[in-house]
Amino acid sequence: IDRARGILYVPTGSAAPDFWGGHRLGSNLFANCLLALDVRTGKRLWHYQIVRHDVWDRDLPAPPNLVTIRRNGRTVDAVAQITKSGHVFVFDRVTGESLFPIREVPVPKSELKGEELAATEPLPVLPEPFTRQAVTAADISPYAPNREELVNEARQSRTGAFQPFGKTHTLIMPGFGGGGEWGGAAVDPAGTLYINANEVAYLEFMVENPTEAELAAMSRGRRLYAVNCIGCHGAERKGTPAAGFPSLVEIGARRTRAEIVRQIATGKGMMPGFTQLSAQDLDSLAGYLSGDEKTAADSVSTPAETGVPQPYRISGYGRFIDRDGRPASAPPWGTLTAIDLNTGLHRWHIALGEDRELAAKGFPQTGAENWGGPVVTAGGVLFIAATKDARFHAFDVKTGQKLWEADLPAAGFATPCTYEANGKQYVVIACGGNRPGAPAGDSYVAFALP
């Protein structure tokens, strides 16, 4: 919020469903937009749509940053919006005018029936992207035990900006977790933006969903699964554990039917509660998952009652990983970048975090997947945790040199808080962990100078 001007800046999410837009043709305003709103009236002052017809899960992941920069010899109050694609859009706070050129990138046509993508999508010429934009066969990790297999997969896949998903493999870099993500960026008064990012590709393709005739031959519980659950947990219910979607195979041996009903209704972790389902729906779906569905009683429903899925679904939230579960793309897998918003150029760009097992073997710093943002102090220090290696870091904002780090009881997937009390400055990080490959935690850890 720009309090002096009374302007609220709001980034919006993507239109649903995420990966197939045949039911929402056109530009889908006001999805994927940065909105400038009058705080007194709610009136829209200006907007910019960063993705016009999103089929790549490119929701705007974090609030923008307000900063004052110098452009073309004048001082401009600006608003900077990070994206999951690894770009930063910078606008005049009042007029919405872009402060750097934006080019229109042609979008390949979709091969999926009913899908019509935008002819072009916008990308800023500057600031420089803070992540890689594609993965090729030459970019496969040297640490992958099945590197040759991964090279072949990369060669057979399509890649590049705005490459639509189809019936064959597409590599998207950065993947659905960014690039930039919900931790957001930090800025300093000099006009430098500091942003941490993931550099992990996803390998995806689209799958045809059951037709209405096929749904009619299913039991109620199986139909409900096909409509509501198959996109995340897959047709065989194996899920994608590495992406946070657990397997539901033999869930009946691990949970009672009542527990399954309760979890579907209320949600857990990344899964929302399915509040639209009736008690009968919940019981039927739980029965199907636990293997004791009352088929005779449930067979009276029709697809019209339980819903019909969209024609296509994503193959799964499939991180492009090697046999050991590490990213298949070459390091760095996590980065921290300082971007001078006065020029649009990087001041520095470093790996953030490390793979502890590879580090113990003497390999160079790889970077690590990270969730949570940085905080910058007036003393010229940037604090950030965020990484899967469960460490808290401090960096020199001028050079990117690491000044200090400490081990945490669990990964700090959060943005630090800094405050002063009784003349002493503290910095606190929430150590919740609980992302794929990172154990859960429940600690707040505070640090201060002696």
Side-chain angles (χ1 to χ4, degrees):
I1 185 170
D2 182 327
R3 294 182 181 275
R5 296 182 174 92
I7 304 176
L8 173 69
Y9 300 93
V10 182
T12 63
S14 49
D18 277 337
F19 305 108
W20 184 78
H23 287 166
R24 50 176 176 83
L25 298 179
S27 292
N28 300 152
L29 281 174
F30 286 90
N32 305 87
C33 283
L34 181 61
L35 306 173
L37 307 178
D38 185 315
V39 298
R40 296 171 182 84
T41 65
K43 178 183 177 182
R44 174 169 48 91
L45 302 175
W46 60 263
H47 75 274
Y48 188 88
Q49 190 172 30
I50 286 171
V51 186
R52 296 189 182 115
H53 184 82
D54 186 8
V55 293
W56 304 278
D57 193 26
R58 293 307 197 196
D59 52 287
L60 297 182
N65 298 82
L66 300 186
V67 61
T68 299
I69 62 175
R70 289 195 62 80
R71 289 292 295 153
N72 302 320
R74 66 188 181 100
T75 300
V76 184
D77 287 340
V79 55
Q81 177 66 57
I82 67 157
T83 67
K84 288 167 78 173
S85 65
H87 296 90
V88 184
F89 287 77
V90 187
F91 305 100
D92 183 298
R93 258 186 247 178
V94 177
T95 67
E97 174 192 1
S98 177
L99 298 180
F100 293 94
I102 294 177
R103 63 191 175 100
E104 293 292 331
V105 179
V107 178
K109 290 187 180 299
S110 174
E111 66 179 26
L112 301 180
K113 184 179 179 181
E115 180 64 276
E116 296 178 18
L117 302 178
T120 63
E121 292 282 1
L123 283 182
V125 174
L126 290 172
E128 296 177 292
F130 54 87
T131 63
R132 287 167 283 179
Q133 294 298 296
V135 174
T136 68
D139 302 319
I140 301 303
S141 171
Y143 308 121
N146 56 328
R147 188 173 188 278
E148 187 174 341
E149 173 189 336
L150 297 170
V151 167
N152 288 334
E153 279 192 302
R155 283 180 178 149
Q156 294 167 19
S157 301
R158 300 176 299 176
T159 191
F162 303 117
Q163 185 66 244
F165 300 122
K167 297 178 182 179
T168 57
H169 283 151
T170 298
L171 270 173
I172 180 171
M173 177 67 156
F176 301 147
E181 34 74 36
W182 50 260
V187 291
D188 66 21
T192 302
L193 180 139
Y194 304 89
I195 179 67
N196 55 300
N198 290 311
E199 297 215 19
V200 178
Y202 278 51
L203 184 65
E204 304 291 352
F205 61 95
M206 300 296 281
V207 179
E208 290 189 26
N209 271 325
T211 65
E212 190 163 348
E214 290 169 330
L215 287 169
M218 298 178 185
S219 67
R220 186 188 193 99
R222 188 177 176 190
R223 276 199 297 275
L224 287 162
Y225 181 85
V227 172
N228 297 284
C229 313
I230 201 169
C232 293
H233 297 285
E236 297 179 354
R237 295 184 282 170
K238 293 180 179 178
T240 312
F245 302 102
S247 170
L248 301 180
V249 176
E250 297 183 353
I251 186 68
R254 305 191 298 275
R255 298 281 191 277
T256 67
R257 188 158 173 161
E259 288 172 336
I260 296 171
V261 166
R262 185 164 54 250
Q263 190 159 321
I264 296 170
T266 60
K268 183 178 181 181
M270 293 190 293
M271 185 184 85
F274 287 83
T275 55
Q276 77 278 17
L277 298 184
S278 67
Q280 182 185 2
D281 287 340
L282 291 169
D283 187 63
S284 297
L285 180 52
Y288 169 69
L289 293 173
S290 59
D292 63 349
E293 184 181 4
K294 301 178 182 67
T295 307
D298 291 335
S299 62
V300 296
S301 68
T302 67
E305 292 178 284
T306 55
V308 178
Q310 63 192 38
Y312 302 94
R313 61 179 170 82
I314 199 75
S315 55
Y317 289 78
R319 292 159 70 251
F320 187 39
I321 56 177
D322 67 18
R323 191 184 300 145
D324 291 337
R326 295 188 177 92
S329 52
W333 300 321
T335 57
L336 181 63
T337 306
I339 305 174
D340 185 343
L341 295 181
N342 301 283
T343 65
L345 303 178
H346 292 181
R347 289 182 56 193
W348 45 262
H349 178 76
I350 61 172
L352 176 65
E354 66 181 7
D355 182 302
R356 292 204 184 208
E357 185 178 335
L358 292 177
K361 296 177 181 178
F363 293 114
Q365 186 178 3
T366 59
E369 288 180 271
N370 54 92
W371 298 272
V375 65
V376 175
T377 71
V381 180
L382 180 148
F383 289 100
I384 187 167
T387 50
K388 286 177 71 172
D389 59 11
R391 287 189 173 120
F392 196 26
H393 321 270
F395 296 94
D396 185 319
V397 298
K398 292 181 180 177
T399 64
Q401 178 187 358
K402 184 162 61 179
L403 303 173
W404 166 86
E405 69 179 9
D407 288 328
L408 298 172
F413 294 145
T415 300
C417 170
T418 183
Y419 61 92
E420 184 181 316
N422 301 319
K424 194 171 187 177
Q425 187 175 359
Y426 297 83
V427 60
V428 181
I429 184 68
C431 306
N434 202 28
R435 299 285 294 193
D442 62 356
S443 304
Y444 286 96
V445 181
F447 298 87
L449 293 174

